[in-house]
Amino acid sequence: DRVSCFITSDYNTGWMNGDIKLATLSDTDDTNVTGSELITNGTFTSNTTGWTAGNSATISQQSNGNPGGNINVYSGTGSNGFASQTITTVVGETYTLSFDYYHVNGNSGGYVNIGTSFAGDQYKYLSLPATSSWNNHSITFKATTTTAFVGLYSRSSGNGNARYDNVSLRLAEEDRSVNGNGLQVFGTVTKTAVATGAELVGYSGWGTSNYMQHTVSTNYGSPTTICFMGWQKTSNISNYQYMGSLIDGTSGKLIGLSINASGVTNAGKPYFYDNTNSSLEGTVRVDDGNWHFMVAIIDGTSKKLYIDGELSASATVTALAMTNVTRTNIGFYAPTTTGTKQYFHLGSTALIRISATAPSTEQIKKIYNDEK
């Protein structure tokens, strides 16, 4: 399988292999990134305050369906009825809108539109199917004006109902892969040049309030093939620390790449964890304050961990089913999709890439030597 890399004045993806799903933490801008929730009342726990009905739609809060409440957009006898609000944006910044969607009835499903205004230019338009189950979706866009119109639509003509929940819009760290699934930023993540005179930045300051995540459903197959690779440096091993983790919302399977804490066997050494086969332990310490390249691969029944271009550990394991990964977590671990966020990375990370293709040993060595 081929590998590719994109380099501009704004970012450098690093080598992306095969069926790349995410390429991020690759900026040259060392401005710290701070994300806060821009949507008002996106969980609809008791009302629809903050949302305005349009195109003759009727909107109402529903207590059934998705836990905690949701908004129902009823198109009535017309079509393209919507609930909307306008949010403040910064020109040139990238944002990600995420939301849950469920089509109750009607002939045409729904859609979400983000634009400069109701009748203005569209940033992004996402058509949604007529589906009878809740699914998560997201839209990433770059603002060209200081406000953005967000519309949640019921497309159906003739009494169509579409429901939305957990609507969230935040500043995004861009996904430079073909998928463009930007990571929503929570809190503040620090960006610092990876070395004196370097343009590429490393990301640090991970913690309870400071992390990145996207919730776009991603299919890594059954049996699963996942390659998680990236660079990290740390000297603090006061706790376990994850570069990132993935959770399948259907099977509950998860994987994550971490470093052992002090006071335990293999302190300071990486490990590749999944909740079926437990941990594959590395053999080299990486808590020396220098940058190290780590690659974790599960490919059917094969599990491998590479450190700085060399195979450090391998095992034959039970294959996983991860066809609906709904949590891609960067800088931390969580045991379930709604579980407590924990084991935040205690140093810096950069050039995180996740692929549904396993690179060869030769490719991993080349990637390490080219990037180091």
Side-chain angles (χ1 to χ4, degrees):
D1 288 287
R2 68 183 183 88
V3 296
S4 59
C5 178
F6 295 97
I7 302 173
T8 76
S9 60
D10 297 325
Y11 65 90
N12 178 350
T13 64
W15 285 112
M16 302 177 290
N17 70 293
D19 185 8
I20 189 69
K21 301 296 188 183
L22 177 71
T24 191
L25 305 196
S26 55
D27 276 7
T28 58
D29 183 353
D30 63 1
T31 304
N32 296 346
V33 58
T34 299
S36 59
E37 183 57 67
L38 300 177
I39 290 290
T40 299
N41 187 24
T43 56
F44 313 104
T45 53
S46 60
N47 54 50
T48 61
T49 299
W51 295 88
T52 301
N55 273 2
S56 301
T58 300
I59 60 176
S60 59
Q61 189 269 351
Q62 301 290 316
S63 58
N64 60 334
N66 226 24
N70 56 83
I71 189 172
N72 184 76
V73 181
Y74 172 63
S75 61
T77 57
S79 62
N80 299 320
F82 62 82
S84 72
Q85 63 179 257
T86 299
I87 55 98
T88 300
T89 53
V90 176
V91 174
E93 294 284 13
T94 299
Y95 299 86
T96 292
L97 174 78
S98 66
F99 59 93
D100 294 336
Y101 161 78
Y102 166 43
H103 181 251
V104 182
N105 65 313
N107 57 7
S108 301
Y111 65 92
V112 169
N113 179 56
I114 304 176
T116 57
S117 67
F118 166 62
D121 295 334
Q122 292 180 346
Y123 287 136
K124 287 289 180 71
Y125 167 93
L126 181 63
S127 178
L128 300 166
T131 177
S132 58
S133 60
W134 286 99
N135 291 284
N136 181 268
H137 304 269
S138 76
I139 299 173
T140 297
F141 67 96
K142 182 169 287 189
T144 59
T145 59
T146 57
T147 60
F149 166 89
V150 178
L152 314 176
Y153 288 77
S154 177
R155 184 191 297 118
S156 300
S157 59
N159 304 319
N161 291 274
R163 293 185 182 172
Y164 298 85
D165 198 5
N166 298 319
V167 183
S168 173
L169 194 149
R170 289 176 174 270
L171 195 66
E173 181 66 23
E174 291 198 56
D175 169 19
R176 307 292 186 176
S177 78
V178 66
N179 303 286
N181 292 324
L183 294 159
Q184 288 191 316
V185 178
F186 294 77
T188 299
V189 177
T190 302
K191 299 164 71 174
T192 309
V194 298
T196 301
E199 292 181 88
L200 182 70
V201 300
Y203 297 68
S204 61
W206 308 99
T208 305
S209 301
N210 308 316
Y211 59 91
M212 299 181 186
Q213 181 184 71
H214 83 56
T215 57
V216 182
S217 176
T218 309
N219 184 357
Y220 290 94
S222 179
T224 289
T225 297
I226 296 177
C227 171
F228 187 111
M229 71 169 69
W231 290 81
Q232 72 83 40
K233 72 170 182 177
T234 189
S235 56
N236 179 357
I237 55 170
S238 58
N239 204 344
Y240 301 101
Q241 53 188 305
Y242 277 75
M243 292 175 66
S245 58
L246 309 178
I247 308 173
D248 188 287
T250 300
S251 69
K253 302 301 182 184
L254 68 86
I255 67 106
L257 181 55
S258 185
I259 300 168
N260 279 299
S262 60
V264 303
T265 303
N266 295 319
K269 297 177 182 178
Y271 65 91
F272 179 23
Y273 174 76
D274 75 78
N275 61 351
T276 295
N277 303 290
S278 193
S279 297
L280 179 65
E281 303 282 347
T283 59
V284 179
R285 293 188 71 141
V286 295
D287 58 326
D288 57 3
N290 296 315
W291 285 102
H292 293 278
F293 181 57
M294 306 206 298
V295 181
I297 299 170
I298 186 162
D299 185 11
T301 58
S302 173
K303 191 174 183 181
K304 297 179 180 178
L305 177 61
Y306 292 79
I307 304 171
D308 293 338
E310 301 293 335
L311 180 63
S312 182
S314 63
T316 300
V317 298
T318 300
L320 308 179
M322 297 184 73
T323 60
N324 184 36
V325 171
T326 55
R327 295 293 185 276
T328 298
N329 305 322
I330 300 300
F332 72 98
Y333 165 88
T336 63
T337 56
T338 57
T340 301
K341 297 172 179 64
Q342 55 194 297
Y343 303 145
F344 297 91
H345 198 275
L346 300 173
S348 298
T349 58
L351 297 184
I352 298 293
R353 286 145 289 172
I354 309 174
S355 173
T357 303
S360 68
T361 297
E362 292 75 19
Q363 286 175 319
I364 292 170
K365 183 175 287 290
K366 172 181 173 54
I367 292 170
Y368 167 68
N369 284 321
D370 285 353
E371 294 179 1
K372 67 180 179 179

